[in-house]
């Protein structure tokens, strides 16, 4: 059996490092992206085929002065056969990408030289140009197989791009153009949706679809809907509170309900925060919890009856995205309501309540319909979804797909 050396280049952060970094900047923490990377790494760590994993990492933070750090120092953490190297960079506009590229190419070159006679493979997380350029150049030089993980396209990563100044807008457009020039140079692809593969014009042998990873540890025991103490029907949304994700429509739809037996709980941050706070003052059924860490969110989820994803399906970016909250919601064992997004595979449909009328009135109707189910019916539906997601999409099952892709190249 081959023993493979893996170089993972991305934005992986330990819990301690994430807290240290984001305590200095009040912004939405990238829990979902970090969790995806950790689950990917976790499955590889447990494989006997993987000898060692070196992860080069830079935290996804705003440039100075939004984040107070000007120079991010080098650091490292050892976790079994995983070593995380936090590479240094200057956290200043323009210089951030340049210094990340220099640090990345230095550490990647050292890794390539050290492992030049071994079976090895490089995994790049996301279409981030400093990383893609490093592996485009050194991958060709050392003939090392290159795998890229694409969960989104760069043109959809900043939905507020129309608010950027001229220089930032120019840099963004240039980055997108460069990214599209080199993205097809990789050997294998781990993609979030089939639409991404279509956009890249990939043959079926070059990619796998990986919507995410079900959390089979923290949700090993399900709480019954019948055991939820509140007599009210509680609907919850957790995530980015941006208007483009349907948050305002969710609020407006909920307020159409005349039934006082419902409550709406929201947590997260985004451009709809002020609107949520305003409506919560008017309607006492609306509860806003602010930004919570992942553990706190999961505890809240166990106290509710319905978890909702109101993201509108009309936007083009929904073809290339699978909301991580869908998998998180289903892993909680609660009834899930979601819009019919193009990026959600048909195999999920029997396990969620589909919101096809995305107007506020349609949202009100589906909340009322699902909320009118008995506690036993809600529990049964949630349990069926839980069993589907935790059996088919746990990190071990998903890792087997990843290793099959790797085996084509090493």
């Amino acid at each position: 059996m081959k023993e493979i050396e893996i170089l993972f280049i991305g934005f992986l952060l330990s819990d301690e490092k994430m807290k240290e970094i984001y305590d200095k900047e009040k912004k939405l923490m990238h829990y979902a992206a970090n969790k995806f990377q950790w689950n990917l790494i976790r499955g590889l760590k447990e494989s006997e085929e993987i000898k060692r994993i070196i992860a080069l990492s830079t935290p996804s933070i705003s440039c100075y002065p939004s984040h107070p750090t000007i120079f991010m120092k080098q650091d490292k953490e050892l976790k079994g056969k995983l070593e995380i190297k936090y590479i240094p960079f200057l956290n200043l506009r323009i210089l951030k990408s340049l210094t990340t590229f220099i640090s990345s190419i230095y550490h990647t070159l050292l890794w390539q030289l050290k492992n030049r006679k071994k079976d090895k493979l490089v995994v790049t997380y996301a279409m981030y140009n400093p990383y893609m350029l490093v592996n485009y150049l050194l991958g060709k030089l050392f003939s090392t197989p290159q795998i890229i993980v694409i969960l989104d396209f760069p043109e959809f990563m900043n939905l507020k791009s129309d608010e950027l100044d001229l220089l930032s807008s120019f840099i963004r457009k240039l980055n997108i153009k460069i990214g599209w020039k080199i993205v097809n140079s990789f050997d294998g692809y781990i993609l979030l949706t089939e639409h991404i593969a279509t956009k890249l014009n990939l043959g079926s042998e070059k990619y796998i679809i990986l919507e995410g990873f079900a959390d089979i540890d923290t949700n090993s025991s399900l709480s019954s809907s019948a055991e939820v103490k509140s007599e009210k029907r509680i609907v919850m949304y957790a995530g980015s509170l941006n208007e483009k994700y349907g948050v305002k429509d969710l609020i407006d739809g909920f307020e159409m309900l005349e039934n006082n037996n419902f409550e709406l709980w929201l947590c997260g941050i985004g451009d709809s925060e002020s609107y949520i706070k305003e409506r919560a003052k008017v309607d006492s059924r609306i509860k806003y919890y602010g930004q919570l860490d992942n553990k706190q969110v999961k505890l809240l989820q166990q106290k509710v009856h319905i978890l909702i994803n109101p993201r509108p399906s009309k936007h083009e970016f929904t073809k290339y995205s699978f909301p991580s909250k869908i998998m998180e919601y289903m892993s909680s064992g609660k009834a899930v309501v979601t819009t019919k997004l193009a990026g959600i595979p048909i195999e999920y449909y029997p396990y969620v309540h589909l919101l096809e009328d995305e107007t506020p009135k349609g949202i009100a109707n589906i909340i009322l319909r699902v909320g009118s189910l008995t506690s036993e019916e809600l529990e049964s539906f949630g349990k069926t979804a839980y069993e589907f997601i935790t059996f088919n999409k746990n990190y071990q099952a998903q890792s087997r797909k990843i290793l099959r892709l790797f085996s084509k190249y090493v």
Side-chain angles (χ1 to χ4, degrees), residues 61-76:
I61 58 174
S62 301
C63 292
Y64 179 86
S66 296
H67 192 283
T69 303
I70 296 177
F71 178 69
M72 189 64 70
K73 296 178 182 178
Q74 183 168 313
D75 197 4
K76 72 177 181 179

Side-chain angles (χ1 to χ4, degrees), residues 25 28 39 52 55 65 75 102 113 115 147 175 210-211 228 278 357:
E25 179 185 8
L28 185 65
N39 277 312
R52 185 172 175 79
D75 197 4
I102 293 170
L113 291 170
N115 297 288
I147 307 293
N175 272 326
L210 209 70
E211 313 94 84
V228 176
E278 173 192 319
D357 178 0

Side-chain angles (χ1 to χ4, degrees), residues 13 21 24 71 81 84 86 107 110 134 180 194-195 210 242 248 261 265 301 303 314 324-326 328 357 371:
L13 299 176
I21 289 170
K24 299 177 181 178
F71 178 69
K81 61 182 181 181
I84 307 175
Y86 300 106
H107 284 283
L110 289 181
V134 165
W180 278 105
E194 284 285 353
H195 291 282
L210 209 70
N242 289 330
K248 278 192 176 181
N261 197 41
W265 294 4
Q301 286 177 346
K303 297 178 181 179
K314 64 182 179 182
S324 59
K325 65 174 57 63
I326 297 297
E328 181 180 301
D357 178 0

Side-chain angles (χ1 to χ4, degrees), residues 320-332:
Y320 311 115
S321 67
F322 178 94
S324 59
K325 65 174 57 63
I326 297 297
M327 200 163 280
E328 181 180 301
Y329 283 180
M330 293 174 71
S331 297
S332 74

Side-chain angles (χ1 to χ4, degrees), residues 170-206:
F170 172 77
I171 293 171
R172 182 174 184 273
K173 289 176 181 177
L174 181 62
N175 272 326
I176 291 171
K177 189 172 183 180
I178 293 171
W180 278 105
K181 288 285 186 183
I182 57 179
V183 69
N184 279 99
S185 65
F186 287 80
D187 299 295
Y189 297 77
I190 299 172
L191 309 176
L192 199 63
T193 75
E194 284 285 353
H195 291 282
I196 296 177
T198 301
K199 181 83 170 177
L200 295 174
N201 196 28
L202 298 176
S204 60
E205 74 287 348
K206 294 196 70 171

Side-chain angles (χ1 to χ4, degrees), residues 32 36 125 148-153 189-197 200 207-213 311 317-324 327 342-345 347-348 393 398 401:
F36 187 101
Y125 179 85
I148 187 168
V149 181
I150 302 178
L151 308 185
D152 204 350
F153 288 135
Y189 297 77
I190 299 172
L191 309 176
L192 199 63
T193 75
E194 284 285 353
H195 291 282
I196 296 177
L200 295 174
Y207 72 90
I208 59 170
I209 300 300
L210 209 70
E211 313 94 84
F213 303 83
R311 182 177 296 188
F317 73 84
T318 63
K319 293 194 296 185
Y320 311 115
S321 67
F322 178 94
S324 59
M327 200 163 280
I344 299 178
E347 64 176 324
Y348 283 79
K393 309 295 179 179
Q398 299 292 58
K401 293 172 66 175

Side-chain angles (χ1 to χ4, degrees), residues 20 44-45 51-52 61 81 108 135 144 151 191 194 203 212 246 248 328 342 380 388:
E20 172 192 328
L44 297 180
K45 277 178 64 181
K51 183 178 182 181
R52 185 172 175 79
I61 58 174
K81 61 182 181 181
T108 302
N135 293 306
T144 305
L151 308 185
L191 309 176
E194 284 285 353
K248 278 192 176 181
E328 181 180 301
S380 176
F388 163 78

